[in-house]
Amino acid sequence: MASTSTVTTLTIFSFVFFIELTVSQQISTVDSECTGRWIHIRTLPSRFNRDLLSTCNHYPLTDDLCPYLANHGLGPKTHTRTRSWYRTDPLLLELIFHRRILEYPCLTPDPNLASAVYLPYYAGIDSLRYLYGSDVNSSADHGSDLLSFLTQDSPEIWSRRSGHDHFLVMARPAWDFSQPLTVDPPIWGTSFLERPEFFNLTALTLESRFWPWQEQAVPYPTSFHPHSLPFLESWIRRVRRSRRTSLMLFAGGGGTSSTPNIRRSIRLECTNVTETEPETLSEKIKTCDFVDCSNGICEHDPIRFMRPMLQSSFCLQPPGDTPTRKATFDGIIAGCIPVFFEDQTAKMQYGWHLPEEEFSEFSVTIAKEDVVFRGVRIADVLMSIPKEEVARMRERVIEMMPRVMYRRHGASMGLMNKKDAVDIAIDGVLQKISSRG
Ligand SMILES: *[C@@H]1O[C@H](CO)[C@@H](O)[C@H](O)[C@H]1NC(C)=O
Ligand SMILES: *[C@@H]1O[C@H](CO)[C@@H](O)[C@H](O)[C@H]1NC(C)=O
Ligand SMILES: *[C@@H]1O[C@H](CO)[C@@H](O)[C@H](O)[C@H]1NC(C)=O
């Protein structure tokens, strides 16, 4: 017990220490490269970020978050010798992004010069007490404290563009912050995004609502955080060479109840083919591989699913409790072509990172109603795609890989020249803000 808490304190301390060190030595670049791109990081009181980390083992209904704070939010390494694979918890994107934006070349300490103002508020971590904890009955208050800070401490920064130039990361689905203020007691979620005072800011979330206004969805962080270009290139070679010994893979849980839904259909189809027709295909390709991730067992254990994903041509990405899935991005990292069952899973979400008009070039969409109610077999659809077409799609998936990954902080120069998920998110934020005039 004592040793655990020492490790925790050290982790938090080094995190905080690094941030202070870096902010005080902000990088200055040639002004012209930064025209229209300057970002000011708002200094917030510690209760909005680092204090929330010091209680990492006290959050209700989540695992102990403390181990996952390591390496600036990337989590513990999967193996002692790796520099690129981590047991990453997606909720910690708020830390990962904070650490990475400190490397952004156009930071300015002067808010008047900035096109955008970043709020390093760990909104998703703070929301846990409203979602699952003692503040469940006051979830309409989420954001009040932040708002009073913004309107009282140098209020001209917040007011000069009515909040239009402010942005933050909220590393959960936007549904968790969209409880209408008028619903009392709350059904689910806080009301952060429903407060009129925050209508103008931009929130980067892991999933957006059907009619998003403030938020833009960004990729879930996977376990892959390469540190150098040669490492990324050798991974891509491995992905290209990998023998795909199964047609399709489902890594996930659910689908065990008797009510018809897409997860249940997938489970039935996968168990049926593996039991009744294992050797019918001449090349001994398994039709379906199934990695059971029930009860969260895959959550911090990428080894369980990355290898099967490398060995499968297609990865099935059915909606679950919400339409989006982290596994969409794990699969892309493994060069496994995603199969979607509704547009809300990715096409209508990640427009900045996965271009909507190119979706059919790197993914397959099969309407879930066709599978659940009209007897369409997923394997039949996928087997009907010609081999050359599958190879072309896999190449397009590999092209998408750098765009959806979060490279490690402090990566080599070569890798920094390739835009990753953070770079693309920052470009998107700047463009969204400037389009508002
Ligand atoms: C929240 O309100 C409900 C209904 O009024 C009550 O049953 C519950 O105990 C309250 N929870 C907390 C943590 O105060
Ligand atoms: C949001 O921006 C609009 C102008 O684009 C402005 O009229 C409105 O007052 C702003 N809302 C808040 C709460 O500042
Ligand atoms: C299971 O396989 C058999 C034989 O291939 C097929 O007739 C049946 O429709 C399949 N059932 C499901 C649920 O896919």
Side-chain angles (χ1 to χ4, degrees), residues 131-364:
L131 297 177
Y132 305 111
S134 53
D135 293 336
V136 66
N137 290 335
S138 37
S139 60
D141 289 345
H142 186 206
S144 303
D145 193 13
L146 181 67
L147 185 67
S148 20
F149 175 79
L150 295 173
T151 51
Q152 282 161 31
D153 187 291
S154 312
E156 67 287 354
I157 303 177
W158 172 248
S159 64
R160 62 175 183 158
R161 290 192 56 196
S162 314
H164 278 295
D165 54 354
H166 281 56
F167 73 105
L168 80 170
V169 180
M170 305 182 84
R172 298 183 68 91
W175 307 105
D176 292 351
F177 311 114
S178 313
Q179 172 72 45
L181 286 156
T182 47
V183 181
D184 185 34
I187 299 163
W188 172 253
T190 82
S191 304
F192 191 99
L193 294 175
E194 288 286 321
R195 302 178 73 105
E197 302 93 332
F198 287 148
F199 279 174
N200 291 343
L201 57 67
T202 294
L204 302 176
T205 58
L206 296 179
E207 176 176 321
S208 63
R209 292 166 286 182
F210 294 116
W211 297 279
W213 172 239
Q214 304 101 309
E215 76 268 24
Q216 169 65 39
V218 297
Y220 285 77
T222 67
S223 281
F224 183 58
H225 306 287
H227 66 280
S228 74
L229 191 56
F231 183 87
L232 174 65
E233 286 168 347
S234 79
W235 173 255
I236 289 175
R237 280 194 299 276
R238 177 165 172 202
V239 166
R240 260 200 198 111
R241 268 201 322 262
S242 183
R243 277 194 61 222
R244 308 273 162 177
T245 50
S246 56
L247 175 71
M248 62 192 197
L249 166 82
F250 175 57
T256 47
S257 79
S258 59
T259 23
N261 66 45
I262 183 67
R263 287 196 179 221
R264 179 171 177 272
S265 301
I266 289 172
R267 199 179 265 264
L268 289 177
E269 190 178 320
C270 278
T271 40
N272 196 20
V273 287
T274 32
E275 277 163 18
T276 59
E277 40 181 309
E279 310 269 325
T280 49
L281 293 161
S282 51
E283 297 154 305
K284 295 236 172 96
I285 303 260
K286 221 186 338 178
T287 308
C288 187
D289 193 6
F290 177 61
V291 177
D292 194 343
C293 287
S294 303
N295 306 317
I297 55 165
C298 299
E299 256 165 44
H300 301 115
D301 201 357
I303 297 112
R304 277 183 198 266
F305 53 82
M306 286 311 291
R307 195 177 300 272
M309 282 177 171
L310 276 169
Q311 293 169 346
S312 188
S313 289
F314 294 93
C315 281
L316 309 183
Q317 308 296 2
D321 294 337
T322 76
T324 65
R325 305 189 75 204
K326 171 176 162 294
T328 298
F329 301 100
D330 297 319
I332 291 174
I333 299 295
C336 190
I337 301 162
V339 180
F340 298 118
F341 299 91
E342 58 178 36
D343 287 345
Q344 275 293 327
T345 300
K347 192 173 181 178
M348 294 171 70
Q349 298 283 346
Y350 305 104
W352 291 356
H353 293 82
L354 297 174
E356 215 177 310
E357 57 285 0
E358 294 165 34
F359 249 70
S360 60
E361 295 165 26
F362 60 83
S363 70
V364 175

Side-chain angles (χ1 to χ4, degrees), residues 81-157:
R81 298 220 310 277
T82 181
R83 293 174 70 196
S84 298
W85 288 93
Y86 299 83
R87 301 182 188 278
T88 305
D89 191 309
L91 178 61
L92 298 182
L93 179 59
E94 291 158 3
L95 273 77
I96 297 170
F97 191 94
H98 189 185
R99 175 61 187 80
R100 276 290 311 284
I101 202 169
L102 299 176
E103 294 177 3
Y104 177 70
C106 307
L107 295 179
T108 172
D110 181 358
N112 294 314
L113 291 178
S115 299
V117 177
Y118 166 62
L119 298 174
Y121 168 45
Y122 301 157
I125 300 178
D126 198 21
S127 74
L128 292 171
R129 62 195 167 100
Y130 299 106
L131 297 177
Y132 305 111
S134 53
D135 293 336
V136 66
N137 290 335
S138 37
S139 60
D141 289 345
H142 186 206
S144 303
D145 193 13
L146 181 67
L147 185 67
S148 20
F149 175 79
L150 295 173
T151 51
Q152 282 161 31
D153 187 291
S154 312
E156 67 287 354
I157 303 177

Side-chain angles (χ1 to χ4, degrees), residues 25-39 101-109 113 413 416-417:
Q25 310 177 340
Q26 280 171 359
I27 314 148
S28 63
T29 315
V30 192
D31 280 15
S32 60
E33 287 171 24
C34 291
T35 306
R37 303 185 50 82
W38 292 105
I39 292 179
I101 202 169
L102 299 176
E103 294 177 3
Y104 177 70
C106 307
L107 295 179
T108 172
L113 291 178
M413 273 324 251
M416 283 170 83
N417 291 330

